[in-house]
Amino acid sequence: MKYALMIDINRCSICYACQVACKDEFVGNPYPPYSYPQPDIEQEWIKVTEIERGKYPHVKVYPIPVLCMHCDKAPCIDACPVPDCIYRTENGVVIIDPSKCDLSKCNGRKPCIEGCPYGVIFFNEDKNICQKCTLCIHRLEKGKEPACVDACPSSVFLFGEESKILEEVKKRGAKWMHPEYEAEPRVYYVGLPSISLAGHLIDAQSLMDVPGADVTITDTRTGSSISCKTNVAGNFLAEDLEMDNTYTVKIECQGYLPRTIDRVPTDIEYKHLGDIKLAKA
């Protein structure tokens, strides 16, 4: 059985429980033959990276848990000159064998660290070895989930057998981070930063939120469109648009007059239209 992981960053509350759980699992604890203890500082085998998009006062923060992607075409495996030091298990987990990691054979370099495009391999100065996330393979062998998955209170992580995860990936439109690296990761993300258009609908008289409104975003150049609805707070978000393009925003909601906003430019990565007032029908 091969494993895969899907991460929905829309659910992340930036509580850092995953980071803390990883530290608690690995600091001071060896799990041979897969890992030596993780240093208590300067290494985060999973790290919540916060990316900001937009302009004040409309700014969106994307919290992205980043860990080893356990790539099917792992550049670190190709980069390492030590035979069988970095290998892939039958489950698809990429492991650096700490007993075989020998920098004396690397000509004074750290080729696996240099070769990893995701920057998720670290150097342990005390042990003189390279280390990274093992996907808690020692826990998997006992039928447990990885520590970060088990600790998350917000259901950010969905972990399991690859075919079942890929069903959810397709259903929820999850993507690889940086597919241009051509590494074919086993980690997929929902809600990665993209060119987005957002807004907040309010009643023109009461200034109350307007939930459940239909919003259609149409590309003025191609005529293609996408649709979404405002949430319980009256907010909408359309993603995966094109930079430096213009869009028509059409808003329809029962009990209100329809409203159209023409030629909205996507001149920044996260474009927010602010409060949009709807008049009663």
Side-chain angles (χ1 to χ4, degrees), residues 80-122:
C80 181
V82 182
D84 301 320
C85 175
I86 307 181
Y87 64 96
R88 184 181 296 102
T89 70
E90 294 181 353
N91 303 122
V93 181
V94 176
I95 296 294
I96 300 177
D97 188 332
S99 67
K100 294 182 179 180
C101 187
D102 186 356
L103 294 185
S104 68
K105 298 180 181 180
C106 297
N107 298 319
R109 298 171 53 231
K110 304 177 183 69
C112 61
I113 293 178
E114 297 169 5
C116 176
Y118 293 99
V120 290
I121 302 179
F122 307 90

Side-chain angles (χ1 to χ4, degrees), residues 28 69 77 91 94-95 104 164 172 231-233 258 269 280:
M69 303 293 166
I77 295 179
N91 303 122
V94 176
I95 296 294
S104 68
K164 294 182 179 180
R172 296 166 64 178
N231 61 17
V232 293
E269 291 179 311
K280 292 283 190 180

Side-chain angles (χ1 to χ4, degrees), residues 99-247:
S99 67
K100 294 182 179 180
C101 187
D102 186 356
L103 294 185
S104 68
K105 298 180 181 180
C106 297
N107 298 319
R109 298 171 53 231
K110 304 177 183 69
C112 61
I113 293 178
E114 297 169 5
C116 176
Y118 293 99
V120 290
I121 302 179
F122 307 90
F123 181 62
N124 185 329
E125 293 187 1
D126 292 336
K127 298 291 186 180
N128 199 39
I129 60 172
C130 297
Q131 296 178 290
K132 67 172 189 67
C133 160
T134 66
L135 211 57
C136 287
I137 190 170
H138 62 285
R139 291 173 60 94
L140 301 182
E141 292 178 339
K142 297 178 180 179
K144 298 180 180 180
E145 292 182 318
C148 58
V149 177
D150 185 56
C152 179
S154 305
S155 301
V156 171
F157 303 95
L158 183 63
F159 176 80
E161 197 275 322
E162 182 181 36
S163 63
K164 294 182 179 180
I165 298 300
L166 289 180
E167 290 178 7
E168 286 298 313
V169 164
K170 183 177 181 180
K171 185 185 303 182
R172 296 166 64 178
K175 301 176 181 178
W176 285 331
M177 180 186 290
H178 296 299
E180 67 273 15
Y181 295 160
E182 299 182 347
E184 298 187 8
R186 291 188 163 272
V187 179
Y188 301 82
Y189 289 87
V190 176
L192 286 172
S194 65
I195 309 305
S196 304
L197 186 59
H200 177 219
L201 303 190
I202 59 174
D203 185 292
Q205 292 183 337
S206 68
L207 304 183
M208 298 292 290
D209 301 330
V210 179
D214 294 306
V215 181
T216 304
I217 314 291
T218 303
D219 187 322
T220 58
R221 185 181 62 213
T222 66
S224 62
S225 62
I226 59 174
S227 299
C228 58
K229 283 183 176 289
T230 54
N231 61 17
V232 293
N235 295 305
F236 70 86
L237 175 67
E239 301 177 295
D240 296 322
L241 305 179
E242 290 188 9
M243 189 68 176
D244 297 322
N245 200 359
T246 56
Y247 293 85

